[in-house]
Amino acid sequence: MIVMQPVRETRAPDGFGLWPVAATEPSGFLPLNGGLSPAEVGTAVMRIAACNDVDPDGDRPPRPAAALDSFLHGLLTFDDLFAAGGLRVTDTSTGVTFLPGCCDGLEDWRNWHRFADGGGMLGFGHAPVSPVAERLGDTVQLTVDAEQHDSAAIELSVTGLRRLLTSAEAT
């Protein structure tokens, strides 16, 4: 069985105290779904805010002085947010897991639909790990690391990919 779920890249909160967050591994992925605890939701929001916590340029208002307002500034003032993570695909029969790459974000989920419709290749990162999706006719191949000639991969039908996307969007 092949499953797909949206995941959010996480890092340990390191003394974060603006709201409750869950303890996490030093780095990894937090599955996003309707069953998250309040602290896990806090972790997801904290990481999205942190990804967008950059000093304003001339197009955005100045950063507020208060700690909470300052931390949330990017989250509230960027038109397009970055949310490190993406869609994790796991083949439970083989144990192969296709993870989002360094150049992948949750905001890019629509690219999967364009890929399913139009085919070609969809890259999610670069060395040292380069996950790639490739459509070969009616088959989709998700290669865990395109930099390795013998990389593990998951194969599924385009119809199966569309079902996985629908399921992931519903979680």
Side-chain angles (χ1 to χ4, degrees):
M1 180 161 111
I2 299 175
V3 295
M4 175 185 276
Q5 67 187 152
V7 293
R8 174 74 189 98
E9 187 177 299
T10 62
R11 290 190 183 92
D14 293 340
F16 182 81
L18 295 174
W19 58 77
V21 294
T24 63
E25 297 294 320
S27 65
F29 293 96
L30 173 67
L32 300 176
N33 57 55
L36 293 179
S37 71
E40 289 171 325
V41 171
T43 300
V45 172
M46 182 259 311
R47 289 301 310 145
I48 293 169
C51 283
N52 295 279
D53 185 23
V54 296
D55 287 327
D57 56 16
D59 296 337
R60 295 181 17 239
R63 183 185 294 272
L68 179 60
D69 296 342
S70 178
F71 184 68
L72 294 176
H73 186 263
L75 188 69
L76 300 173
T77 61
F78 273 122
D79 289 333
D80 298 310
L81 297 174
F82 173 69
L87 297 173
R88 174 173 57 194
V89 181
T90 304
D91 183 337
T92 59
S93 64
T94 64
V96 174
T97 300
F98 180 86
L99 292 169
C102 60
C103 298
D104 198 15
L106 286 168
E107 73 281 1
D108 297 325
W109 66 271
R110 288 176 187 88
N111 291 344
W112 283 88
H113 285 285
R114 285 190 281 279
F115 167 74
D117 294 341
M121 187 178 282
L122 186 58
F124 299 95
H126 49 80
V129 178
S130 301
V132 172
E134 188 171 9
R135 183 170 166 188
L136 309 163
D138 291 334
T139 302
V140 172
Q141 182 172 324
L142 306 175
T143 303
V144 173
D145 186 355
E147 301 291 324
Q148 296 181 6
H149 72 282
D150 60 347
S151 176
I154 297 172
E155 286 193 7
L156 66 155
S157 68
V158 172
T159 302
L161 175 62
R162 286 190 177 108
R163 276 194 298 269
L164 289 174
L165 289 167
T166 298
S167 176
E169 291 166 2
T171 58

